Amino acid sequence: MTSRPMSSPPPQLLRNFSSISNWDRVAENVSKYSWATLPIIFLASYIFQYLLPSTDGDTTSHPLPLSYKPLHDWLGWVYFLSWSLSFYPQLLLNFHRGTTVGLSPDYALYNVIGFACYSVFTCSLRWSDPIIKAYQNLHDGTSPLVSSQDILFALHAITLSVIGFLQIAYYDGVGFRGLQKPSRNCFVICCCVMSFATCYLILVVADGGNPGQKEGDDYQYLNYLSYIYSLSYIKIFITLIKYIPQALSNYRRQSTNGWNVWNVILDFSGGAFSIAQLIGDCEAKGNWEGLTGDLPKFGLGLISICFDVVFLMQHYVLYGGNEFGGNSDMMVEETSSISSDGRGRGSSSSEIRRGVYKYQT
């Protein structure tokens, strides 16, 4: 087994890789109809706002105006469907290719940690009466601007994030010898985040488990409201750094092969309409404390939009058409399985993936 520099992958590797990436060609044939995705989402959201009207804000001290409710519901369904559907192209691509090479394992692990924190935050502000009351006391009676779509998206996102990470573990491995093991920096950051969240929760419980600040105190941090806000800040931090490994992976490979661009297009749409709903709610209520009260939603949308612009530039401008990457100094490990008759009847899928991984990284 030898390694040698090459300007392009060896012919055998190209032949074998093409046999496990037929989905890429199928996706190209289907891509001409991709333009219909967003119009379908807009139409479906318009239908959902009538079939599934929400009760968001109906029982709060600052209810949403009836004239604004249809727009509130439509914006919520557009952002929910866009962000939710953004997970599926990559999961399907992984399944059909039988590999997750091209998808950053750091990005996948950050998603699991981040959306776990976001799910706890949104569900607590929606369903926990003591925490909701503590929030109202802190924001002059204003209720949290957590919509029904926020809850659905958070629970859906954590589920699919776990599935995505399990795909990496199943197809390519995340252990010591795995092709797709997370980086040391990612592992350290995730361990620190989980340790902080666990220790903070223990301190809150040990202090009596108060839902909010105690009467007479200007502010104190050992309560559940402060704890879930710390989880929301973790989510913002995770969102800020989770895109960086994928952007660097695309840069190092000089390619976006193995990574689905519709994930980004839908993510961009979800972020834009999520912010639009939050701003619309604040304007309709005449109270802009909702932006700071639901900072994770605003931060998620804004950060996602910024990085999505970077990814779209990489895919359509910088590295468009680079299937295997543009670095001629890459090393390829030829991993052909030679049969006893010496004719070499092909490579196993794991060996093919190993060769392509070494070439792309």
Side-chain angles (χ1 to χ4, degrees):
M1 184 179 296
T2 60
S3 297
R4 57 192 177 90
M6 303 187 71
S7 59
S8 61
Q12 181 181 5
L13 183 58
L14 284 173
R15 288 196 301 271
N16 287 315
F17 181 69
S18 65
S19 68
I20 64 171
S21 61
N22 288 332
W23 172 246
D24 291 336
R25 290 193 293 274
V26 174
E28 288 178 3
N29 294 330
V30 177
S31 62
K32 59 183 178 180
Y33 302 108
S34 298
W35 60 268
T37 302
L38 290 179
I40 290 174
I41 289 177
F42 295 155
L43 178 60
S45 301
Y46 182 77
I47 295 174
F48 285 166
Q49 70 166 317
Y50 289 106
L51 296 181
L52 301 170
S54 71
T55 58
D56 298 337
D58 289 350
T59 59
T60 65
S61 57
H62 298 83
L64 292 173
L66 292 178
S67 59
Y68 169 73
K69 282 294 292 296
L71 179 58
H72 164 87
D73 290 343
W74 182 78
L75 291 172
W77 283 115
V78 171
Y79 110 72
F80 166 74
L81 291 175
S82 297
W83 258 350
S84 296
L85 292 177
S86 70
F87 288 88
Y88 287 95
Q90 186 65 55
L91 295 180
L92 293 174
L93 182 62
N94 297 341
F95 173 76
H96 284 277
R97 293 171 70 232
T99 179
T100 60
V101 169
L103 172 65
S104 168
D106 291 4
Y107 174 82
L109 182 56
Y110 284 142
N111 261 346
V112 173
I113 302 297
F115 282 119
C117 294
Y118 186 62
S119 297
V120 174
F121 173 78
T122 54
C123 291
S124 298
L125 284 182
R126 180 73 177 191
W127 290 326
S128 175
D129 290 335
I131 292 180
I132 292 174
K133 185 175 180 180
Y135 177 96
Q136 291 172 334
N137 293 336
L138 193 62
H139 293 87
D140 299 325
T142 302
S143 296
L145 292 179
V146 178
S147 67
S148 303
Q149 293 86 2
D150 294 339
I151 299 294
L152 292 174
F153 168 70
L155 298 178
H156 181 266
I158 181 58
T159 301
L160 293 191
S161 295
V162 171
I163 292 175
F165 189 76
L166 291 177
Q167 280 187 323
I168 294 178
Y170 177 76
Y171 290 126
D172 300 299
V174 294
F176 179 74
R177 294 182 176 273
L179 296 181
Q180 287 278 72
K181 58 180 180 292
S183 68
R184 180 179 300 177
N185 289 338
C186 174
F187 182 77
V188 171
I189 290 174
C190 290
C191 286
C192 290
V193 165
M194 290 187 291
S195 298
F196 169 79
T198 302
C199 293
Y200 195 166
L201 180 60
I202 292 174
L203 291 174
V204 170
V205 174
D207 192 57
N210 300 298
Q213 67 186 59
K214 297 177 182 178
E215 187 176 354
D217 291 343
D218 292 333
Y219 198 78
Q220 57 95 25
Y221 297 97
L222 293 182
N223 57 71
Y224 286 119
L225 182 61
S226 297
Y227 175 72
I228 66 169
Y229 264 108
S230 72
L231 295 182
S232 73
Y233 300 145
I234 289 175
K235 173 54 182 169
I236 294 176
F237 170 71
I238 291 291
T239 302
L240 186 62
I241 66 173
K242 76 174 185 178
Y243 293 104
I244 296 176
Q246 185 64 60
L248 290 178
S249 175
N250 295 342
Y251 169 74
R252 288 167 182 153
R253 296 182 300 124
Q254 296 289 289
S255 171
T256 58
N257 186 51
W259 173 82
N260 197 291
V261 69
W262 269 96
N263 172 34
V264 176
I265 295 174
L266 292 172
D267 188 54
F268 182 91
S269 301
F273 282 95
S274 173
I275 292 177
Q277 187 196 46
L278 186 59
I279 292 177
D281 289 356
C282 292
E283 173 64 25
K285 287 189 173 187
N287 189 318
W288 291 90
E289 288 192 8
L291 286 180
T292 56
D294 199 357
L295 188 60
K297 182 175 180 177
F298 182 75
L300 289 182
L302 185 61
I303 295 172
S304 296
I305 288 174
C306 293
F307 274 99
D308 288 338
V309 170
V310 174
F311 288 137
L312 291 173
M313 288 290 293
Q314 285 184 323
H315 185 80
Y316 288 111
V317 179
L318 299 178
Y319 314 135
N322 289 359
E323 182 176 3
F324 285 96
N327 193 336
S328 61
D329 296 328
M330 294 293 183
M331 302 292 290
V332 181
E333 180 177 337
E334 298 181 72
T335 56
S336 58
S337 299
I338 306 299
S339 62
S340 58
D341 60 6
R343 289 181 292 180
R345 300 191 178 185
S347 304
S348 68
S349 60
S350 62
E351 289 175 323
I352 294 169
R353 290 198 299 269
R354 190 179 303 276
V356 175
Y357 173 83
K358 288 184 175 293
Y359 183 83
Q360 290 183 331
T361 56

